[in-house]
Amino acid sequence: MTAERRDDLTDAERDLLARVVAAAPPPPEPRWGEYRAELRARLDARRSIGSRLRRWWARPASIALSFAVATALLLFTLHPVERRPDFAALDEAMLGARLDLLEHYHLVERLDLLENFEVIRRLDDVVSREG
Amino acid sequence: MTDDREATSDETLCRRIAARDDAAFDVLVARYQARAYRLAWSLLRDVEDARDASQEAFIRIWEAAERFRGDARFSTWFYRILVNVCLDHKRRGRWWTRLVSRDTDREGDESLVERQPAPGPDPGDHASEAQTMARLWTAVHQLSAQQRAAVILYAQEHLSTAEIADVLKVAEPTVRVHLHRAVAALRKELAP
């Protein structure tokens, strides 16, 4: 036990930990040659990806393109397109509600005309005089 | 002689790796592979995960070698990288591998208690020392990830509490608390 192992444990406790860890089953040993070959392959793959990324980033066009895409995404996220009321749809709805009037438009037109001449208001008088 | 040792010290190898020396990397891997794999296996208890995590730690050493300042020992720095990889691995979990059970993993995951022969017919028989230790080892694996790492680094890798604190990036008193709690948990397990 070295002096720098300031652990506040008693000797019995240290011994307990040591025995527990020593009793642990040994890990199944890999074939080290295969292990290193696999590691080398993984490292080579990582290096080639890294170098490709570095080469890509070294091009001014790539940097400009990346910034453009990032800026567009940022703007789109911060300022989503405003949803304005759809006036055409509103107009259509109103027209739909007045469909009956439109179908008899010629009659409406005449009634309007007669109203202008105050014929409608005096209609009772006209009838009684005729009667 | 001193020059030879200096030429192949971990710190020197790390500097050579920073300069992209493949041969230095191979020497370092050969030197640390067994320790790295054993530590990863102790933390993860899975053959494939231990292999994966220990290899990932070596790759990170290659990538970050130039950032090794030499303030601490290389081994401490390496353990820090490895333990971080293992704890990340554990946090992420590998749910898809749990769905598909593998024979090798089943063997690795099986607790020692389960592998012990069945107790004899006499109920008065005391469990053997090996059985007790196996039960305690299982108890170690029920500790929190950081406590378990502290115990393994302390008792298996013989690191000082200061070094463990450096590896786990916690204060040294926290390591002592981890060790105390681990011992308390083991004592509880030992109690009749």
Side-chain angles (χ1 to χ4, degrees):
Chain A
M1 192 61 50
T2 57
E4 61 181 350
R5 300 189 87 182
R6 296 193 303 265
D7 48 37
D8 307 332
L9 298 177
T10 64
D11 284 345
E13 288 168 339
R14 283 194 204 105
D15 183 53
L16 175 67
L17 285 181
R19 278 191 301 144
V20 169
V21 170
E29 195 92 336
R31 290 197 184 97
W32 292 116
E34 276 176 25
Y35 177 93
R36 283 193 296 272
E38 199 178 292
L39 170 60
R40 176 56 63 187
R42 281 179 69 174
L43 183 63
D44 289 344
R46 194 76 71 89
R47 281 154 86 178
S48 76
I49 291 169
S51 66
R52 254 182 281 164
L53 274 175
R54 273 194 299 278
R55 273 205 302 275
W56 195 81
W57 271 100
R59 293 176 194 156
S62 313
I63 296 172
L65 179 68
S66 304
F67 274 111
V69 171
T71 311
L73 280 173
L74 195 69
L75 285 175
F76 185 75
T77 315
L78 294 178
H79 301 286
V81 179
E82 268 181 46
R83 290 184 64 84
R84 293 191 175 133
D86 189 349
F87 289 115
L90 243 159
D91 214 11
E92 268 176 26
M94 284 170 72
L95 284 173
R98 291 179 182 175
L99 201 58
D100 287 346
L101 289 179
L102 287 174
E103 274 171 5
H104 304 288
Y105 190 65
H106 59 284
L107 186 65
V108 173
E109 214 172 19
R110 278 183 203 166
L111 284 171
D112 270 351
L113 198 66
L114 290 171
E115 197 175 36
N116 285 345
F117 287 120
E118 295 188 340
V119 174
I120 295 173
R121 258 179 252 161
R122 292 178 191 172
L123 208 57
D124 290 341
D125 295 347
V126 174
V127 171
S128 61
R129 253 186 271 154
E130 278 178 3
Chain B
M1 185 72 183
T2 313
D3 287 347
D4 283 354
R5 249 184 283 139
E6 172 63 23
T8 55
S9 75
D10 294 344
E11 289 73 15
T12 309
L13 287 173
C14 191
R15 277 195 290 276
R16 283 169 53 192
I17 292 169
R20 297 298 175 243
D21 181 341
D22 280 341
F25 182 71
D26 291 341
V27 172
L28 198 81
V29 170
R31 193 175 286 178
Y32 275 88
Q33 62 190 15
R35 248 187 290 177
Y37 175 76
R38 184 183 57 180
L39 178 57
W41 187 82
S42 296
L43 291 170
L44 299 168
R45 295 297 302 276
D46 182 286
V47 174
E48 286 304 317
D49 287 352
R51 195 182 178 100
D52 185 36
S54 55
Q55 288 178 346
E56 179 61 31
F58 283 121
I59 292 171
R60 290 195 191 179
I61 290 291
W62 171 272
E63 289 172 342
E66 62 206 22
R67 291 203 292 275
F68 175 65
R69 294 187 306 272
D71 301 341
R73 282 193 301 168
F74 171 81
S75 58
T76 309
W77 187 60
F78 179 69
Y79 281 132
R80 185 192 296 167
I81 290 173
L82 179 59
V83 169
N84 276 336
V85 171
C86 290
L87 295 184
D88 281 350
H89 215 285
K90 202 136 189 94
R91 266 195 291 272
R92 273 202 316 269
R94 299 207 318 173
W95 58 270
W96 64 91
T97 56
R98 285 187 201 119
L99 293 176
V100 185
S101 63
R102 294 167 300 187
D103 288 346
T104 49
D105 287 350
R106 226 179 288 135
E107 196 180 321
D109 288 342
E110 190 183 5
S111 80
L112 269 184
V113 177
E114 287 159 357
R115 281 197 254 161
Q116 296 302 318
D122 183 358
D125 273 355
H126 290 292
S128 69
E129 169 79 359
Q131 276 178 312
T132 309
M133 287 300 133
R135 215 174 68 229
L136 293 182
W137 178 244
T138 309
V140 167
H141 280 272
Q142 281 156 5
L143 298 171
S144 76
Q146 269 216 347
Q147 284 174 1
R148 188 167 62 250
V151 168
I152 290 165
L153 288 169
Y154 179 86
Q156 183 177 291
E157 303 301 321
H158 306 292
L159 262 60
S160 69
T161 47
E163 285 170 324
I164 298 170
D166 202 7
V167 168
L168 299 178
K169 283 190 179 168
V170 294
E172 198 181 342
T174 309
V175 175
R176 290 188 225 166
V177 170
H178 283 336
L179 292 175
H180 265 289
R181 289 202 176 142
V183 168
L186 296 178
R187 282 200 181 290
K188 199 172 160 190
E189 193 65 34
L190 275 176

